[in-house]
Amino acid sequence: MPDPRLIRIYYEGDDDRSLLQGLQSAKLLPAECELALRQDKKRAGGREGLFAELAPFVRPENGVAGRAIVVLDLDDNTPEKLAAWFRRQLTKALRADAASMREVQSPRPGVVMFSITKGEHTGCAVLIPLGLPDDEELRKTLGIERFALDDYVLRLVRERRVYESVSDLRGAKYDVAMRKMTEVADLLRKNGLAVRQSKRLLHILRATAGVRPSSAEFIHQLMKGAAKVLTEGEFRSLFSPLADDIAEAAKLLAQVP
């Protein structure tokens, strides 16, 4: 049996891992949390591969009966639709072991625990939607309609002190980069090209500044820079509600016998 205090966090890809590692380094993840080591994404990447890896960890028999937190992009779903989709995918991955699956709704919107009991063992997974659908500035000023991890990255890079702490962004001054990001996005929209996601705005920003590293490495640099120039309170504020959602998920899992 696994250490009952251990919680493993599952995620979709390298960008997510870079951001979560930054939160872990800043001590914004509960001490009992570890990040899952995703397998070869060429064979089993993204969400599909995630469930193939998650199921053996939470399976109550012939598995680990472990405790997991799963962070997934909200995209254009509601939290309720994402939770329903998650349940279907987890049920499919667990097969017969999902017969006793039970849902526990957290007081925090969108945070739902799925517990699977068989015999004396229980495995659990808490779903956390990633994105900032309640951020009025993202919606009204920047025109974001699909919400994901990139919302936090965009929020982070728009903090001047963080932007100026990253050497790869020195190809464009902060004010120029922010102005060009919105100007190019508006131009694309006027020509009938959708810019509905923070990721598209980040691509524009990276092109303006001539950033070469991968998006995962870029996020790593932003998180590292943020840790140097922000206070703990400022860091936590930029990553609200995600950090609080993860803390709440850990509390839910701690209550499972």
Side-chain angles (χ1 to χ4, degrees):
M1 291 295 293
D3 183 341
R5 297 168 298 178
L6 172 67
I7 297 170
R8 185 171 294 171
I9 301 180
Y10 286 83
Y11 50 90
E12 292 184 58
D14 292 339
D15 288 3
D16 308 72
R17 182 173 181 84
S18 286
L19 187 138
L20 290 166
Q21 284 177 326
L23 294 180
Q24 192 172 48
S25 296
K27 303 190 184 307
L28 291 183
L29 298 185
E32 62 270 27
C33 289
E34 69 171 18
L35 302 184
L37 293 175
R38 294 298 311 275
Q39 297 173 7
D40 184 356
K41 292 184 288 300
K42 291 181 180 179
R43 292 187 295 107
R47 292 189 173 187
E48 293 75 15
L50 185 154
F51 285 99
E53 297 171 25
L54 173 65
F57 184 69
V58 299
R59 182 173 283 121
E61 287 190 354
N62 299 317
V64 179
R67 309 287 189 261
I69 294 172
V70 184
V71 292
L72 290 177
D73 289 339
L74 183 61
D75 290 327
D76 53 1
N77 289 304
T78 63
E80 293 75 19
K81 286 182 179 178
L82 184 64
W85 178 86
F86 182 86
R87 180 175 185 131
R88 291 194 299 272
Q89 297 304 309
L90 185 57
T91 298
K92 186 188 302 183
L94 289 169
R95 299 177 183 173
D97 289 307
S100 64
M101 188 182 297
R102 184 171 65 94
E103 286 186 35
V104 178
Q105 180 66 56
S106 161
R108 297 190 64 81
V111 179
V112 185
M113 181 169 72
F114 298 82
S115 64
I116 312 98
T117 300
K118 194 168 185 179
E120 299 179 353
H121 306 306
T122 298
C124 300
V126 180
L127 170 65
I128 295 177
L130 274 176
L132 294 166
D134 297 327
D135 189 314
E136 289 296 312
E137 189 171 17
L138 281 182
R139 281 185 176 275
K140 294 182 178 179
T141 304
L142 298 177
I144 302 304
E145 298 174 357
R146 292 174 59 104
F147 302 95
L149 166 132
D150 304 286
D151 300 345
Y152 288 99
V153 182
L154 185 58
R155 177 187 275 182
L156 190 62
V157 79
R158 292 178 73 231
E159 168 58 51
R160 181 186 289 269
R161 286 171 295 162
V162 176
Y163 182 98
E164 293 177 347
S165 73
V166 177
S167 59
D168 277 316
L169 287 169
R170 290 175 186 163
K173 292 188 179 298
Y174 174 85
D175 292 328
V176 172
M178 295 300 128
R179 185 174 69 252
K180 289 301 178 184
M181 181 179 70
T182 55
E183 286 177 354
V184 172
D186 289 342
L187 181 61
L188 290 172
R189 291 178 181 127
K190 287 176 182 177
N191 285 276
L193 299 174
V195 181
R196 303 171 56 208
Q197 301 160 286
S198 293
K199 185 181 289 292
R200 293 292 300 275
L201 292 175
L202 288 166
H203 285 328
I204 295 168
L205 181 100
R206 282 159 51 86
T208 300
V211 175
R212 293 184 179 180
S214 68
S215 57
E217 175 59 25
F218 179 60
I219 292 170
H220 170 71
Q221 291 178 9
L222 284 172
M223 297 296 281
K224 187 176 178 181
K228 292 179 180 178
V229 300
L230 300 179
T231 67
E232 181 179 344
E234 289 171 331
F235 206 125
R236 178 174 287 278
S237 178
L238 284 173
F239 285 95
S240 176
L242 177 58
D244 295 329
D245 286 346
I246 293 175
E248 175 65 22
K251 288 181 184 177
L252 282 175
L253 292 169
Q255 296 169 10
V256 177

